[in-house]
Each structure stands twice: as structure tokens, then as C-alpha cells.
Amino acid sequence: MKCLEYPFEGEFLLKKKKSLKRELMEQNENRIVKKIAVLGGSTTREILEMTELFLLNHGVEPCFYESEYNQYYEEAMFPNEKLEAFAPDVIFIHTSNRNISAFPAMTDSKEQVDALLNTQMDKFIAMWDRLREVYKCPIIQNNMELPLYRLLGNKDGVDFHGKTSFVRRLNQRFADYAANHENFYIHDLEYLAASYGMERFSDPFYWHMYKYCMCVPAIPTFAYSLSNILKSLFGKNKKGLVLDLDNTLWGGVIGDDGQEGIEIGPETSMGQVYSEFQSYIKELKQIGVVLAVNSKNDMENALLGLNVRDTVLTAEDFACIKANWQPKDRNFAEIAQELSLLPESLVFVDDNPVEREIVTKQISGVLAPPMEKVEQYAGILDKAGYFETTTLSADDLKRNDMYRENAKRMQLQSAFASYEEYLLSLEMKAIIKEFDALSLPRITQLTNKSNQFNLTTRRYTQKELEEVVADDSNITLYGRLEDRFGDNGIVSVVCGHEDDGKAFHIDLWLMSCRVLKRDMECAMMDMLVEKCKGRGLTAIYGYYYPTAKNSMVCKFFEERGFALHQEENGNTIWYLDISGEYKKQNHVIEIKGDKDE
């Protein structure tokens, strides 16, 4: 829904929230349902209603548990049958500096202030540790906004007596805890308040009148920021940027102005602005955002622009470049297809509102933020939160290289008479292992991001996967694939459970679309059968639950030799007898088992 995309009008959303919710519930039937427990140190009702709108717009239907006013600590620390029965997928602790029970006094010694800080921190740590142990789900915790006044002026942030200093030290302790504990995330209230404007954000009227720790007009901004963390945890992040060139990555038109005429680099004020934007895009690439070009240009001119002396981005930074004169919506669709990504997982960045309108109207689900002033380009993309980072794996850091290598593989394919010859030419090697501590973050990420090659579309938190590993009745496998062009990283995941020591049931089977039609699914199947046979199991049951995005695997089990066992409302159960001889399906990938390094 356009009005819920950044930049949005908060006042409008507050006024129309009920009608917007009705419309969202009617227009999107393929939502995932998530249970979110909110433990509040201040009033939370309006925050929940706004967060719900943004999550519904991302395809997530939240079910909330809301603590009593300012009972966040008590509900977390004491036996809570209601919360335990709720079984949250995520817990959000909504505290603010209003919940700091004591600040330093001017008569306190440094040792006394340190002890006071430890007391505050120990209270939170005890709460976090208990929640992690009991509920085993991700926790999101606000840090603290800076105080509204500074008793010591500028020295308030330096002197250990200052409230500003105290809050900053507390926030650093929060950050240290987050850095050392998985599935614990900081919602940066300090930054949010500063960005919004501290005096407006923390207007005391709203605290004394309604017990809101922020002004009501700021609630949509707060909720949007919170929803970015939540949708990232639920696998709803975008995956890449498709960028225009002229007047988007540089000033001017390369075809008319030539290399010397476009604005990029330190010599002009606007050239500096475009360089800063390119630097921001380059930084996005470093965290795994896939980059592509969609430009109405001759390819020769596009490459000239990406090769100009002062450019920050070069052709090597892009996984795909489309520079031609066909409609941009067609280019956009082809880019998504070549990258094996859903079009709606890519964000379109173009200075021309007409082109943005064409692409978003022709391709459902694609977002194209308004890019009107180049000085604001980076800020628009950054605050939109398309790529909110909750985990950052080694595979993320080299994702663009993986997609570029994939393009080389596709070019190579046309040189072979048969597809099997092509696959053999790739010299593929797979390492297939049981889940381990090093692989779990990436596996968790895959379970929450993979939509197309995902047979059951089950989502797991890392804690849930740790429990799967700890249960001896489960079989877990992940596959890493490499070839002569490079390492694709972890690309496939299978896990499931035994049933009475006779059959194995597949709870999850997914694969990255980067390696489609490379026979990795055959290699995983062979290893799964081997593991099952090693346990004396005689049958495997597979499950396919159709969604709007996974139709590509509707015949997967049939292709692997399974027989249809049961069908109901489109959901299918498949059966494979492995009591006799099993004929291996993979003939092109060299396999290293789970004991190989």
C-alpha cells in the first residue's frame, strides 16, 4: 500500500488506521502469522496499532500480547502462564529513559555512579537472560533516548554525574550485550529520537497526559522503525537495487554530454553529491545488497559512464547490466529472471517519476521510492529500511560476486550440445553436512528468506533450529556448492523427523534459486536417503504446501520418484519406499560427506 511506504504521512496514518487495516486484511490473503509479545514500560496501544499496519503491508499478520502498563519487568521475571501459553515468536521490550529508576546525584563518587549503572544493567540482564531461557525466541530491546535537558550543559555528556553520560554508558552496555548474544536486537531509540528531533520526540506533555514516552505524532516513525527489524527477522527484506544511470548515479546524460560532461567527482558541488550517493550504494553492496543497472542507453555509453575517472561504482560492482532502449519494466523483469530473484525482492531507483510509475504499475510488488533531489537519495533509501540488517553472514558479504559468477555460468551453457555436458563442465563439488554451530546463522537466514524453492515454507528462529539439532530423532542436512567459477555458499537445507523408527518426515526442504537446475537437489536427496537407510528407516514422506510464490516446486517430489500419498485443499503428501535398492540421482556433482572438511 503506497501510503505505508517511506516516506509516509504519519498524521494521515494515525487518522485512517482502522480503514487501512480493513483494506490490508482484504487485499492480501497470503500472509504469515507471527506472535509478538510487547512488554511495555509506557503506554503501547497506539504503537501496536501502527506496527500492525506496517507489518500487514509486508505480508505479516501480527498477533500481539500486550503487558499491563509498566509491568514489563514483572511479566518477564515472574511465572506468567498467559505469556507462556501465548508462546511468542518475538518479544519486544518497550522501555525508555523514563524507566531508569535512578540517575547519579552530584554528590555521588565515581564508584557510586558505577555501582548505580551496574544496578540498572543487572536488572535488564536478569530479565533478558530469563526471557531467553524460558521463551527461546528473538528479543528486541529499545535502548534509551538522551535526556531532554542537560544540567551541566555540554559537560553533561563528559562528567560522570551527567544524565547524558549515564544514558550513553547504559546504551553502550546494551550494545555490548547484543553483540555477545544471538537473537538479541537493539531498537535504536537514541538515534530515532535524534533523527526525529529530540525536543519534539520527547515532548513531556504526552508522558504526563497519556504516559507515552514519545509524542503521538512520532509513533508512526517509531512503529516503522520497529517493523523494519521485525520484517527482517521474518524474511521480508528486499534483496537488491535496480538502478538507473543518467541523473541517478551521475548528473547529466552520458549519451549527450559524453564522459567529460557528466557530473561525478570532486570538481563540482553536484558531482560531489553524486559521488556520495555512489559511495552509499557501494556500501550497500558490501552488506550483500545485489546491484543491477536498468538504463535507457546504448551499452557502450553506459559502460563509459561506469568507467569515468572519478566514478565510485564500476561495471564490476553490478551483477547485471541492462542498457538498451526497450521499456524499463521489461528490462526489470529480465533482470529478476537472470538473477533468479522474485521481482518484488528488488527496489527500483530512478530519478524519472514516469519510469517509476511504469515499472511499479506493470510489475506487482515492486517498490520505487521518490528520488527527487540527489542530496536526499541516500537518506530516502536508508530510512526506508529495505535492507535492515539483523544477521550478516560471510555469504552476504560476497553475494554480488555470486550473482556475477552465475551470469558467467549462464553464458557458458550455450556452448554445450547437452545440458549434462554443461553441468559436468562446471566441475561442481558439494559439501553436505549436518547442521553445526557455524552454519546455523546462515541456515536460519535461508529458512526465513527462501520463498520459491521452499516446499513447506516453514520459518525457524535460530533457537528453534538449535532445538531441532538437539533432538536425536531429527535428521538435518545443509549443502554448500562450489564450481570452477566460485563458491555459492550454503544453498540447500533439509531437515525432518523420524516416526516410530520406520519412516522419515521432511519438515523443511529449501534451496537458493541461484543454483536451480544444477542437480544440487539430487545430491541432497541422495545424502538424505543414505542417512535414512543408515538409521534403518524404510520410507520417506514429503510435504508440499502451495503458496503464491512456490509453485515452481509443485512437482518436485514426483520428479524425485515419490508417489502421491494424499491430497487435500491443494496440500500434498508424497511417499518414497527406500526399503529396497535406491538408484542415485546425482551424476554431475562430486560429493563430500558430513565428515569431510
Side-chain angles (χ1 to χ4, degrees):
M1 189 178 288
K2 190 70 175 177
C3 65
L4 289 165
E5 298 169 16
Y6 189 87
F8 49 81
E9 294 183 18
E11 184 178 351
F12 172 82
L13 299 182
L14 287 167
K15 186 182 299 184
K16 298 290 186 180
K17 60 187 177 184
K18 291 184 179 179
S19 61
L20 290 173
K21 178 182 175 179
R22 284 195 300 269
E23 188 175 345
L24 285 165
M25 293 295 287
E26 291 171 358
Q27 69 179 213
N28 185 359
E29 298 179 354
N30 296 303
R31 297 182 297 270
I32 60 172
V33 178
K34 291 293 180 178
K35 294 182 287 185
I36 303 169
V38 179
L39 308 183
S42 59
T43 304
T44 56
R45 174 46 40 193
E46 198 94 46
I47 292 169
L48 269 60
E49 292 173 349
M50 280 293 108
T51 303
E52 181 177 37
L53 288 183
F54 290 120
L55 289 177
L56 285 171
N57 199 46
H58 288 302
V60 178
E61 182 178 342
C63 177
F64 289 111
Y65 171 96
E66 186 178 14
S67 73
E68 296 294 328
Y69 166 73
N70 200 23
Q71 294 295 299
Y72 69 96
Y73 182 78
E74 290 78 4
E75 295 214 18
M77 290 301 293
F78 302 117
N80 190 332
E81 293 181 1
K82 187 177 177 182
L83 182 55
E84 289 178 19
F86 181 72
D89 295 306
V90 177
I91 295 173
F92 168 51
I93 305 171
H94 176 57
T95 50
S96 69
N97 68 29
R98 295 282 185 180
N99 300 112
I100 297 176
S101 57
F103 282 97
M106 286 298 151
T107 55
D108 288 345
S109 67
K110 188 176 187 306
E111 289 73 22
Q112 288 174 313
V113 173
D114 289 345
L116 182 62
L117 183 68
N118 289 336
T119 298
Q120 298 290 324
M121 192 63 195
D122 289 346
K123 173 183 175 180
F124 279 99
I125 288 177
M127 178 176 63
W128 299 334
D129 286 349
R130 185 177 187 278
L131 289 172
R132 286 164 54 83
E133 179 182 353
V134 174
Y135 298 101
K136 302 184 187 304
C137 68
I139 297 170
I140 303 172
Q141 167 71 59
N142 287 343
N143 63 11
M144 306 299 183
E145 77 279 28
L146 295 180
L148 195 54
Y149 65 87
R150 300 180 300 171
L151 187 64
L152 302 177
N154 288 292
K155 193 176 178 63
D156 206 68
V158 178
D159 192 291
F160 62 83
H161 297 102
K163 286 187 176 182
T164 303
S165 171
F166 192 78
V167 169
R168 284 175 175 161
R169 291 177 68 191
L170 188 62
N171 283 348
Q172 185 57 55
R173 295 278 195 94
F174 278 30
D176 291 343
Y177 185 93
N180 291 293
H181 293 81
E182 294 178 342
N183 287 319
F184 184 88
Y185 308 95
I186 295 296
H187 183 227
D188 198 349
L189 193 58
E190 179 183 1
Y191 175 86
L192 197 66
S195 178
Y196 190 87
M198 282 176 51
E199 291 186 358
R200 289 188 299 139
F201 186 89
S202 300
D203 187 341
F205 169 83
Y206 294 92
W207 173 258
H208 297 298
M209 182 62 70
Y210 308 112
K211 288 299 182 283
Y212 274 115
C213 72
M214 71 195 80
C215 67
V216 168
I219 287 176
T221 300
F222 177 96
Y224 186 81
S225 176
L226 174 62
S227 71
N228 282 335
I229 299 177
L230 290 165
K231 58 94 172 166
S232 177
L233 291 175
F234 300 150
K236 296 294 184 175
N237 267 2
K238 301 300 182 183
K239 295 183 179 180
L241 291 175
V242 178
L243 298 124
D244 176 44
L245 295 177
D246 293 330
N247 292 312
T248 299
L249 290 186
W250 56 67
V253 178
I254 185 73
D256 295 334
D257 303 322
Q259 273 189 320
E260 300 302 319
I262 61 173
E263 290 194 274
I264 186 74
E267 294 183 358
T268 67
S269 59
M270 291 308 296
Q272 293 170 27
V273 176
Y274 281 105
S275 289
E276 285 190 2
F277 181 55
Q278 286 200 16
S279 295
Y280 172 73
I281 299 299
K282 187 103 169 182
E283 289 173 357
L284 286 177
K285 178 195 169 190
Q286 292 173 6
I287 63 169
V289 177
V290 181
L291 305 181
V293 166
N294 184 357
S295 174
K296 283 187 175 177
N297 248 314
D298 293 325
M299 180 63 81
E300 181 182 358
N301 286 330
L303 295 177
L304 282 174
L306 293 170
N307 195 40
V308 71
R309 180 185 59 191
D310 294 315
T311 189
V312 178
L313 292 167
T314 68
E316 295 299 311
D317 290 309
F318 296 93
C320 181
I321 297 176
K322 293 285 184 183
N324 52 46
W325 298 100
Q326 71 176 7
K328 287 196 174 182
D329 59 303
R330 189 184 304 172
N331 273 343
F332 195 101
E334 291 177 1
I335 289 170
Q337 184 176 16
E338 289 182 18
L339 296 178
S340 298
L341 292 172
L342 292 171
E344 59 265 36
S345 71
L346 300 170
V347 178
F348 184 46
V349 180
D350 195 310
D351 68 295
N352 189 328
V354 174
E355 298 289 7
R356 296 197 301 266
E357 181 80 3
I358 290 172
V359 170
T360 55
K361 290 294 185 184
Q362 295 298 318
I363 306 178
S364 177
V366 172
L367 300 184
M371 310 297 284
E372 297 168 355
K373 296 181 179 179
V374 64
E375 303 95 319
Q376 299 174 354
Y377 284 2
I380 290 289
L381 293 180
D382 195 60
K383 289 187 176 181
Y386 300 127
F387 311 107
E388 179 80 31
T389 302
T390 47
T391 59
L392 192 62
S393 68
D395 285 349
D396 290 326
L397 301 180
K398 54 184 181 180
R399 182 169 288 119
N400 267 274
D401 292 338
M402 292 178 178
Y403 280 100
R404 285 184 59 82
E405 290 157 1
N406 227 23
K408 294 177 183 177
R409 296 180 187 101
M410 292 179 69
Q411 292 172 5
L412 179 68
Q413 181 179 340
S414 61
F416 289 87
S418 74
Y419 191 67
E420 184 172 352
E421 285 182 17
Y422 159 67
L423 291 179
L424 288 169
S425 77
L426 293 177
E427 301 171 10
M428 292 182 287
K429 298 179 182 180
I431 297 175
I432 302 177
K433 305 177 66 174
E434 295 179 356
F435 293 3
D436 52 48
L438 289 176
S439 67
L440 276 184
R442 172 58 178 162
I443 293 170
T444 305
Q445 191 181 54
L446 274 174
T447 67
N448 284 285
K449 284 186 174 183
S450 300
N451 294 303
Q452 297 180 83
F453 195 117
N454 192 333
L455 292 156
T456 61
T457 63
R458 287 190 62 177
R459 312 296 183 182
Y460 291 82
T461 65
Q462 186 161 326
K463 281 289 184 183
E464 288 171 334
L465 286 176
E466 289 170 356
E467 292 172 359
V468 168
V469 172
D471 188 340
D472 291 337
S473 69
N474 293 324
I475 294 176
T476 65
L477 294 172
Y478 74 87
R480 175 182 289 273
L481 182 67
E482 61 182 52
D483 57 37
R484 65 188 179 95
F485 288 104
D487 186 355
N488 293 278
I490 296 174
V491 294
S492 189
V493 175
V494 179
C495 68
H497 64 279
E498 290 184 29
D499 179 15
D500 298 328
K502 297 180 180 179
F504 178 75
H505 297 262
I506 299 171
D507 296 322
L508 177 73
W509 191 325
L510 59 84
M511 193 165 73
S512 169
C513 291
R514 290 198 309 274
V515 295
L516 287 180
K517 299 181 180 180
R518 302 265 301 279
D519 278 13
M520 186 61 184
E521 62 273 28
C522 298
M524 295 293 287
M525 183 72 207
D526 292 348
M527 184 62 73
L528 178 62
V529 171
E530 181 181 320
K531 293 289 183 182
C532 289
K533 279 179 165 288
R535 294 193 180 197
L537 303 178
T538 58
I540 299 176
Y541 286 90
Y543 300 81
Y544 169 65
Y545 304 138
T547 70
K549 298 179 179 179
N550 73 350
S551 60
M552 66 180 300
V553 289
C554 65
K555 296 184 178 181
F556 173 78
F557 286 116
E558 181 181 352
E559 292 168 351
R560 302 277 71 76
F562 286 69
L564 182 62
H565 178 70
Q566 186 176 328
E567 181 174 5
E568 184 176 354
N569 298 325
N571 297 326
T572 53
I573 302 176
W574 300 79
Y575 172 82
L576 180 68
D577 184 350
I578 58 170
S579 59
E581 184 180 355
Y582 170 78
K583 186 177 181 181
K584 288 194 173 184
Q585 301 182 19
N586 163 52
H587 306 291
V588 295
I589 302 175
E590 179 185 342
I591 303 299
K592 298 182 179 180
D594 62 0
K595 294 182 181 179
D596 291 313
E597 297 296 332

